[in-house]
Amino acid sequence: MDYVLPSGDKLSLAHGATGADAAAAIGAGLARAALAIKVDGVTYDLSRELPTDGEGKIEIITEKSGGEALELIRHDAAHVFAAAMLELYPGVKISIGPPIEHGFYYDVEMPAGPALSDADFPAIEAKMREHINADETFLREDVSVGEALERFVRENQDYKVELIEDLVKNAPADAPVTSVSLYTNGPFTDLCRGPHAPSTKRIKAFKLQSVAGAYWRGDSDRQMLTRVYGTAFFSKAALEEYLERLERARANDHRRLGPLLGMFGFSETAPGSAFWFPRGAEVFNELVRLSREMGRPRGYSEVKTPQLFDSSLWKTSGHWDKYRDDMFVTEAEDRQFALKPMNCPGHCQLYTLQKHSYRDLPVRYSEPGLLHRNEASGTLHGLLRVRHFAQDDGHIFCTEDQIQDEVAGVLEFAFATYKLFGLDVKLELSTRPDKRIGSDEMWDRSEAALKNALDSHGLDYTINEGDGAFYGPKIDIHMTDSLGRSWQLGTCQLDYNFPERFGLTYTGADNQDHQPVMIHRALMGSYERFIGILLEHFGGELPVWLAPTQAIVLPIADRHNDFAQSIADQLSDAGARVESDDRTESVSRKIRDAELRKIPFMLVVGDREQASGEVGVREHRQGDVGSASVAAFTERLTGLIESRSLA
Ligand SMILES: [Zn+2]
Ligand SMILES: [Zn+2]
């Protein structure tokens, strides 16, 4: 049969040819490098006969194929792990071991005895290395269901037995399961769909990383299994680079940094809701102040809307039907109420309480309103996924003719904001989805308005066809952080739905009622999440204007405490967040602690400084940068704060 290579060239192979034959026919080098073969999008072992019933588009997978190649050896490594476990822990029962995003895991039921821990990893890894060095071939074999069941019953592998029984039970009536595939490497055989690389030797570097508990089938009524996570790479260098990045992510974890920097904490008495310490609250308020300061000259008016609304509002907005489980609902005087999960319906209600003429438009409301969403407890994650938060939320009500200017205004606002944090952002335009409201003509106009706003600013953007909301197209703004992770920050969405549902109108020049268009926009998203992202991105070293403590005065001895406090007071009066460390500790200890807290400036004061009225300035990570008069330092610090400098 004729196959087609990625280059478009044809490759003729005899009937019954395997992936290995295909690679060899292309070249000896490729035959050596090959890990698997992809035929019409499906990956096969090299040893398998190639299918002959499709288009025949083939691609040899090698180390250079990226994620797919890594997935193969990580799956291989999971098998090697299971093999090692069976040898080291007789009686262990193995369940499933798939490759996952950055590695693999395997769930096992340990025999009676001490629980598995990290301390056991070196012995297991040594055993795994034996299997890898032995260059064991992965042998695939299709056997009847009866034969497979007999094998795993004999080996007391209950989970495998259950998996096979379920495969048979859940098979569609017109495609019954009569056989399953097994993969054998060395002495170990696993029930597995494959595919695998040709041999264990292709795993060049691997590491076991952690142990966790996991219920069989994710069902809390069933057996709690031991899950071991690991990863594998094609080189030691790649593994090390990955582990290093992981270490940095751990060090930058905002859940660790929040308490360390004295910003926030959590308590089970309010799951998913941060408790802000004074310094954290100040940083939070700093961001709210920024939104206000930037919004005012851009025509935003701050409004205040209620927290709790009668269910009738949520019925009008559609939340009651679609989103009720995610809202906190309560009752009073036989009426049902719900805490707002977003500000938009309240802003629509607010709009209806006044009359609007075309001369009033655009109306731009902003409100850092408190929102509550009943996120599942398992999904809560520090500040990044919370139940209680506030957004830098804004809603614009305008005419269709004004859309383009308003969107351009939102983008200008967005770029001015992100620039302050030195964030590089990417834009995505999401267009009409299959399920939508409104006429094609409406979508043509609104998509064109967003496109024009982007193009007229000469902005680069990608288009996500069909990814818009059902009520209108949108522009999403993403950033990539210092660890290479992508976050969505802002959004600008056109909405024809809410104005319709809430019956919003304005009086046109023709004295008739018309329906305005609504634009939802948030630039930072929620303040909580934005602070979490900033902490991780900067590794806790926030720009001076945002640092929870901007400077700390360090008296060398107790007799300098009063002088130190007077300097801290002067700087506080000038508007800085400053404290004085008057503990009876050595100054080197005080410096070390201030460094750990990532405080940008440390001001050391002793006899000399007290006599001259100066301070010895140290900068975080830089060390001693020389002496300065208190006045000069105050001017420098307040300058950095007022200009919201990134330096
Ligand atoms: Zn497998
Ligand atoms: Zn909204």
Side-chain angles (χ1 to χ4, degrees):
M1 160 159 177
D2 279 350
Y3 291 90
V4 188
L5 299 175
S7 61
D9 291 347
K10 283 206 160 45
L11 183 72
S12 271
L13 293 170
H15 191 81
T18 64
D21 296 334
I26 302 169
L30 193 60
R32 274 192 304 274
L35 294 162
I37 185 168
K38 210 148 91 173
V39 187
D40 297 328
V42 181
T43 306
Y44 295 87
D45 302 331
L46 288 176
S47 57
R48 286 183 78 183
E49 224 174 85
L50 296 177
T52 51
D53 51 359
E55 285 180 76
K57 284 194 180 147
I58 61 172
E59 187 189 336
I60 306 292
I61 296 180
T62 70
E63 278 182 35
K64 298 201 175 77
S65 307
E68 287 170 294
L70 284 169
E71 201 170 295
L72 281 169
I73 60 161
R74 286 167 180 173
H75 188 179
D76 297 350
H79 281 232
V80 170
F81 168 79
M85 290 299 286
L86 284 164
E87 286 162 17
L88 291 171
Y89 301 93
V92 68
K93 291 181 181 176
I94 60 175
S95 66
I96 55 164
I100 51 175
E101 199 186 349
H102 297 290
F104 65 88
Y105 69 78
Y106 214 115
D107 286 349
V108 302
E109 184 188 330
M110 294 299 291
L116 200 70
S117 81
D118 299 16
D120 301 311
F121 287 173
I124 303 170
E125 286 171 341
K127 199 45 122 184
M128 289 174 72
R129 211 160 285 120
E130 286 175 22
H131 285 274
I132 292 169
N133 291 339
D135 195 9
E136 295 165 354
T137 304
F138 281 100
L139 248 139
R140 182 190 168 103
E141 189 187 3
D142 288 291
V143 302
S144 72
V145 163
E147 192 182 324
L149 280 174
E150 198 190 314
R151 163 186 270 273
F152 290 115
V153 167
R154 189 176 62 234
E155 294 176 355
N156 282 321
Q157 291 298 346
D158 308 347
Y159 297 105
K160 298 292 175 190
V161 171
E162 186 179 326
L163 285 169
I164 296 170
E165 285 171 348
D166 281 2
L167 274 177
V168 173
K169 199 166 64 197
N170 298 332
D174 56 345
V177 169
T178 55
S179 69
V180 295
S181 55
L182 304 180
Y183 277 80
T184 300
N185 62 289
F188 174 66
T189 298
D190 203 349
L191 171 74
C192 179
R193 220 178 284 128
H196 281 278
S199 97
T200 55
K201 195 101 196 220
R202 300 305 182 97
I203 306 166
K204 298 293 184 206
F206 72 98
K207 187 168 172 57
L208 298 181
Q209 294 171 283
S210 60
V211 192
Y215 289 109
W216 169 231
R217 297 261 152 113
D219 180 348
S220 60
D221 291 335
R222 306 213 49 191
Q223 179 72 33
M224 171 67 92
L225 301 174
T226 302
R227 172 171 297 181
V228 173
Y229 288 97
T231 192
F233 284 88
F234 288 110
S235 73
K236 271 215 159 55
L239 172 65
E240 264 153 34
E241 192 193 305
Y242 168 73
L243 294 174
E244 218 165 87
R245 200 149 36 106
L246 215 58
E247 193 42 56
R248 255 178 55 212
R250 211 169 284 144
N252 286 16
D253 190 325
H254 75 283
R255 292 168 301 176
R256 188 184 79 84
L257 291 168
L260 179 76
L261 272 58
M263 291 179 71
F264 55 82
F266 288 90
S267 158
E268 258 313 297
T269 54
S273 310
F275 288 72
W276 294 91
F277 302 125
R279 288 303 192 209
E282 284 183 89
V283 172
F284 193 106
N285 291 338
E286 199 71 75
L287 292 177
V288 177
R289 178 157 62 237
L290 176 69
S291 305
R292 283 184 174 135
E293 256 176 47
M294 295 183 79
R296 212 173 300 122
R298 290 173 173 84
Y300 287 83
S301 314
E302 186 161 332
V303 295
K304 277 183 167 313
T305 55
Q307 203 61 45
L308 209 52
F309 292 88
D310 184 90
S311 57
S312 63
L313 179 101
W314 307 116
K315 283 170 189 156
T316 302
S317 70
H319 283 83
W320 203 252
D321 283 344
K322 289 206 183 101
Y323 198 73
R324 193 176 159 181
D325 288 346
D326 298 310
M327 300 202 300
F328 289 101
V329 178
T330 184
E331 243 172 66
E333 293 179 330
D334 288 332
R335 290 171 66 178
Q336 278 190 300
F337 293 85
L339 287 173
K340 61 179 170 189
M342 47 178 67
N343 294 303
C344 349
H347 287 182
C348 288
Q349 186 71 79
L350 177 73
Y351 181 94
T352 65
L353 298 180
Q354 289 177 310
K355 273 199 97 49
H356 298 272
S357 109
Y358 68 96
R359 276 183 243 101
D360 304 327
L361 267 40
V363 166
R364 305 183 190 93
Y365 292 151
S366 69
E367 181 178 7
L370 200 49
L371 308 176
H372 286 86
R373 292 183 190 172
N374 193 7
E375 303 281 0
S377 51
T379 65
L380 299 175
H381 182 90
L383 293 179
L384 298 179
R385 194 182 274 264
V386 286
R387 285 182 175 165
H388 161 124
F389 59 99
Q391 291 178 317
D392 65 329
D393 209 1
H395 292 104
I396 301 169
F397 301 92
C398 64
T399 68
E400 279 220 338
D401 291 343
Q402 293 169 332
I403 292 175
Q404 194 178 318
D405 281 348
E406 288 307 305
V407 172
V410 169
L411 293 175
E412 180 278 324
F413 194 165
F415 282 100
T417 303
Y418 302 139
K419 198 175 156 208
L420 282 173
F421 303 92
L423 305 178
D424 257 339
V425 295
K426 286 198 183 74
L427 301 168
E428 283 175 14
L429 170 61
S430 298
T431 59
R432 69 193 78 184
D434 290 340
K435 272 196 188 147
R436 59 179 184 261
I437 58 159
S439 65
D440 283 350
E441 197 213 347
M442 177 283 273
W443 281 90
D444 287 342
R445 279 199 310 267
S446 52
E447 285 172 6
L450 292 187
K451 251 193 202 112
N452 288 339
L454 289 162
D455 292 336
S456 65
H457 277 236
L459 297 169
D460 273 344
Y461 58 95
T462 52
I463 295 184
N464 287 344
E465 294 290 354
D467 222 22
F470 73 94
Y471 49 75
K474 58 174 182 167
I475 296 171
D476 286 332
I477 310 174
H478 299 260
M479 72 166 272
T480 301
D481 76 5
S482 61
L483 292 166
R485 298 168 302 185
S486 175
W487 304 94
Q488 184 180 337
L489 293 179
T491 187
C492 176
Q493 308 190 358
L494 286 195
D495 183 358
Y496 289 82
N497 180 42
F498 274 171
E500 172 83 44
R501 281 176 171 266
F502 283 91
L504 306 186
T505 58
Y506 66 89
T507 312
D510 56 3
N511 235 348
Q512 302 293 308
D513 276 353
H514 298 271
Q515 190 177 295
V517 182
M518 185 174 181
I519 299 173
H520 307 252
R521 48 113 287 172
L523 307 180
M524 302 183 211
S526 92
Y527 291 108
E528 281 81 356
R529 182 169 165 277
F530 191 61
I531 290 173
I533 293 170
L534 288 180
L535 282 173
E536 303 221 344
H537 175 61
F538 288 110
E541 297 174 21
L542 296 174
V544 174
W545 69 277
L546 268 186
T549 301
Q550 294 162 325
I552 186 164
V553 192
L554 309 178
I556 289 175
D558 290 349
R559 65 178 178 280
H560 310 121
N561 283 357
D562 288 346
F563 178 60
Q565 188 58 52
S566 75
I567 292 171
D569 290 345
Q570 282 178 62
L571 286 163
S572 297
D573 289 347
R577 295 186 286 274
V578 182
E579 52 190 79
S580 169
D581 184 351
D582 58 8
R583 294 175 302 162
T584 310
E585 293 283 358
S586 70
V587 77
S588 59
R589 173 69 190 270
K590 291 178 182 178
I591 290 172
R592 205 162 56 238
D593 289 348
E595 285 284 347
L596 276 176
R597 290 173 58 197
K598 301 167 197 296
I599 299 173
F601 294 104
M602 288 149 272
L603 309 176
V604 180
V605 296
D607 291 333
R608 192 154 52 94
E609 286 77 13
Q610 201 162 332
S612 65
E614 291 195 324
V615 290
V617 183
R618 295 183 69 91
E619 287 182 23
H620 177 59
R621 278 178 183 279
Q622 310 289 318
D624 193 347
V625 295
S627 294
S629 70
V630 175
F633 178 76
T634 306
E635 199 182 308
R636 175 166 177 220
L637 182 58
T638 52
L640 287 170
I641 295 169
E642 276 157 24
S643 63
R644 296 194 171 105
S645 165
L646 260 179

